[in-house]
Amino acid sequence: MTFVVSPSMNFSHAFPTQYLGVFNSSTNVTSSSHLLAIELDTVQTVDFHDPEKAHVGIDVNNPISVESALPSYFSDALGKNISIDLLTGEPVQVWVDYDGSLLNVTLAPIEIQKPNRPLISRAINLSEIFQDKMYVGFSGSNGRLTSNQYILGWSFSKSKEFMQSLDLSKLPKAPIPRNEQAPVPREEKNKLLPLLIGLVILLLILVLMVLGGVYWYRRKKYAEVRESWEKEYGPHRYSYKSLYKATKGFVKDALVGKGGFGKVYQGTLPSGKHIAVKRLSHDAEQGMKQFVAEVVTMGNLQHRNLVPLLGYCRRKGELLLVSEYMPNGSLDQYLFHDQNPSPSWFQRISILKDIASALNYLHTGANPAVLHRDIKASNVMLDSEYNGRLGDFGMAKFQDPQANLSATAAVGTIGYMAPELIRTGTSKETDVYAFGVFLLEVTCGRRPFEPQFPVQKKYLVKWVCECWKHASLLETRDPKLGREVLSEEVEMVLKLGLLCTNDVPESRPDMGQVMQYLSRKQPLPDFSPDSPGIGGFMPVSVEASSTIGIPDSSMHVSHSILEGYGR
């Protein structure tokens, strides 16, 4: 800190740290500042030629002292200078005297009277420095090293005769340095100790409760069902936590589809892989082991027109199926929603061939054969190049060649279900029937059942057959296709759809034959709209249930037959 005599009270130009809040860099080279400062500095500034450690100095117009010394006072009793440490926090007195030619600075501890010898004496003509009007006061500043300076009292006079001595008894107490705070009495410590211990224990209990609550919440949030028999399926099992984070908590923005079997969310794994997660409700544990085994086995199916099933996750009351994400969504969004561009005939026939190839692989290439059991436009996904991919294995089932057909429960969607389904259960032929409806659905651009249509048009299969009888088969094609299509090819697909939906299962082609017909490597067999079994079946409304009165050893994830007529 400094005692300052200045021509102005405006120190906005002054710098902190070594400039003491009085000077700045320009005052280092000027003699026109008209400043006098007596500094009690606790930090050495080498650039200002300060002595080591704390020091006392006389500064004229700039921070480089014209005279300086280490703080001390002269003891008459000992006849020598006694050092003073400015950093102890002990109060000291400072006297600054000027007799017209000599400026003296004297220091001493507060209880010591003014020594006879000053610490610093400097011959100086202050009239050359001072102006007519000057101000006196104090300044202090800190840098990286901090210290506290206190002025307990001061007195100033232009005449020595009128100078008043300080009454030390009236001075306030100097603050005790932090490292010398008065110790707390033992009695006070004894009173505070139990309180502090209690507060610490209470704080620990609260922290443990919070941590326990967080742990319990996270356990519940990411809880899964795991059983010992699932170890063999480890690589195909995803943790719920990873799926939760991939879908950002299954937020609404990640929802890309929903139906009777559950909701589908898109997500991204830490590896950057895009996935689709289907959440399926389940309550029964019976048949779960077989179901998981089937899911994992289906994950091993490899075909370019199948949506790859990557794995699964189990929670209480819920199953999650993880598959590769198809960026262009499902085919029904393009067939039935005006906001999306309607696919051209070339795209439609290409997608039909893709799905026929995938279904043929499931029936003949997979071992054992797989029955899809829910073929429809909403289960046909489109990849980044708009290739058709058969997805949604939520109702798929492996076919046991030794099993009785009636032991396979009837599942599917109204409008796509073969007439024998309730009686004999699912089979390759029921898949072919659903594919036939799918052929008509894609070609005609309408759903299998439209309750708001006139009676003669409500049922797609029946309506197409009737139009053929009246020689207007091509009028059933989707109006969005326009006239620029291959009429012969459209007619062939419509007739193939009717052939696949024959009421007699044995009269339906297998998927290998269907592929031959679609690629036009083989002509359709000779039949007419009046042939037995063509266009004769009328779908019946069946109340939704997990199974339909037929024994089944496998567990069905959700309602097997969905109301809504294929929507």
Side-chain angles (χ1 to χ4, degrees), residues 42-114:
T42 56
V43 178
Q44 180 189 26
T45 303
V46 177
D47 293 343
F48 295 165
H49 312 298
D50 289 342
E52 295 182 4
K53 301 179 181 179
H55 58 277
V56 180
I58 299 174
D59 302 340
V60 178
N61 292 327
N62 67 67
I64 301 176
S65 301
V66 296
E67 198 75 47
S68 63
L70 298 179
S72 64
Y73 71 98
F74 182 78
S75 172
D76 292 327
L78 299 176
K80 64 177 182 178
N81 281 350
I82 307 297
S83 296
I84 297 176
D85 189 350
L86 297 180
L87 296 175
T88 62
E90 295 293 335
V92 297
Q93 292 190 78
V94 182
W95 294 266
V96 180
D97 303 302
Y98 181 66
D99 61 4
S101 61
L102 191 65
L103 181 64
N104 295 322
V105 179
T106 309
L107 262 69
I110 196 168
E111 69 276 5
I112 303 295
Q113 291 185 349
K114 182 180 179 181

Side-chain angles (χ1 to χ4, degrees), residues 366-435:
N367 186 21
V370 177
L371 305 179
H372 188 277
R373 307 200 294 179
D374 199 24
I375 301 161
K376 56 184 177 181
S378 59
N379 285 340
V380 172
M381 311 304 293
L382 303 177
D383 62 19
S384 58
E385 297 179 352
Y386 288 90
N387 297 310
R389 300 280 197 104
L390 185 57
D392 198 343
F393 290 91
M395 292 195 297
K397 181 176 176 64
F398 289 90
Q399 185 181 43
D400 183 355
Q402 306 301 322
N404 189 325
L405 285 177
S406 64
T408 305
V411 293
T413 303
I414 293 294
Y416 300 86
M417 297 169 62
E420 75 275 11
L421 196 63
I422 297 176
R423 184 179 69 258
T424 63
T426 54
S427 63
K428 292 180 182 178
E429 288 75 17
T430 59
D431 268 0
V432 172
Y433 184 95
F435 183 78

Side-chain angles (χ1 to χ4, degrees), residues 269-342:
L269 296 173
S271 62
K273 187 176 184 64
H274 296 290
I275 59 171
V277 182
K278 188 164 191 175
R279 304 184 74 170
L280 311 172
S281 299
H282 81 84
D283 297 318
E285 291 299 319
Q286 183 180 3
M288 176 57 67
K289 184 174 182 179
Q290 180 182 350
F291 178 83
V292 171
E294 291 177 356
V295 167
V296 172
T297 304
M298 281 188 285
N300 294 326
L301 298 176
Q302 300 291 328
H303 191 276
R304 64 186 181 88
N305 295 119
L306 290 177
V307 176
L309 190 61
L310 304 177
Y312 76 101
C313 176
R314 286 180 64 202
R315 299 190 80 204
K316 186 176 181 180
E318 187 176 38
L319 271 170
L320 296 95
L321 298 182
V322 184
S323 60
E324 189 175 309
Y325 176 65
M326 296 290 109
N328 285 313
S330 57
L331 178 59
D332 66 320
Q333 295 174 347
Y334 296 86
L335 292 176
F336 309 126
H337 297 280
D338 293 335
Q339 63 267 31
N340 294 321
S342 178

Side-chain angles (χ1 to χ4, degrees), residues 162-236:
F162 298 103
M163 184 70 178
Q164 292 182 350
S165 299
L166 294 177
D167 186 349
L168 300 182
S169 64
K170 294 182 179 180
L171 294 180
K173 293 287 185 181
I176 301 174
R178 187 172 297 176
N179 58 352
E180 296 183 12
Q181 292 287 343
V184 179
R186 183 179 297 274
E187 295 78 8
E188 293 294 327
K189 284 185 177 180
N190 292 338
K191 291 180 181 178
L192 291 174
L193 189 59
L195 179 60
L196 291 175
I197 293 175
L199 288 175
V200 170
I201 293 174
L202 180 61
L203 182 61
L204 286 175
I205 292 173
L206 289 174
V207 170
L208 289 174
M209 288 177 64
V210 170
L211 292 177
V214 171
Y215 176 76
W216 177 83
Y217 171 75
R218 290 177 66 86
R219 280 286 302 270
K220 184 178 180 181
K221 182 178 180 180
Y222 300 126
E224 300 177 28
V225 177
R226 288 181 180 268
E227 298 185 55
S228 57
W229 54 263
E230 291 185 77
K231 291 181 180 178
E232 59 183 296
Y233 307 125
H236 295 276

Side-chain angles (χ1 to χ4, degrees), residues 414-415 440 446-451 453-466 535 537-541 565:
I414 293 294
L440 300 179
R446 54 158 288 186
R447 302 181 192 276
F449 179 78
E450 295 285 4
F453 281 17
V455 175
Q456 65 273 21
K457 289 187 176 182
K458 280 188 178 183
Y459 301 101
L460 177 60
V461 175
K462 185 75 174 175
W463 174 60
V464 172
C465 186
E466 289 298 319
F537 174 61
M538 296 283 285
V540 293
S541 177
Y565 309 99

Side-chain angles (χ1 to χ4, degrees), residues 334-338 342-345 348 439-446 460 463 473-485 490 494:
Y334 296 86
L335 292 176
F336 309 126
H337 297 280
D338 293 335
S342 178
S344 66
W345 175 249
R348 297 189 196 203
L439 287 172
L440 300 179
E441 181 181 22
V442 173
T443 307
C444 300
R446 54 158 288 186
L460 177 60
W463 174 60
L473 181 60
L474 286 177
E475 292 183 10
T476 63
R477 66 185 174 187
D478 190 348
K480 296 177 183 177
L481 289 174
R483 298 292 177 181
E484 297 178 3
V485 294
V490 173
L494 290 169

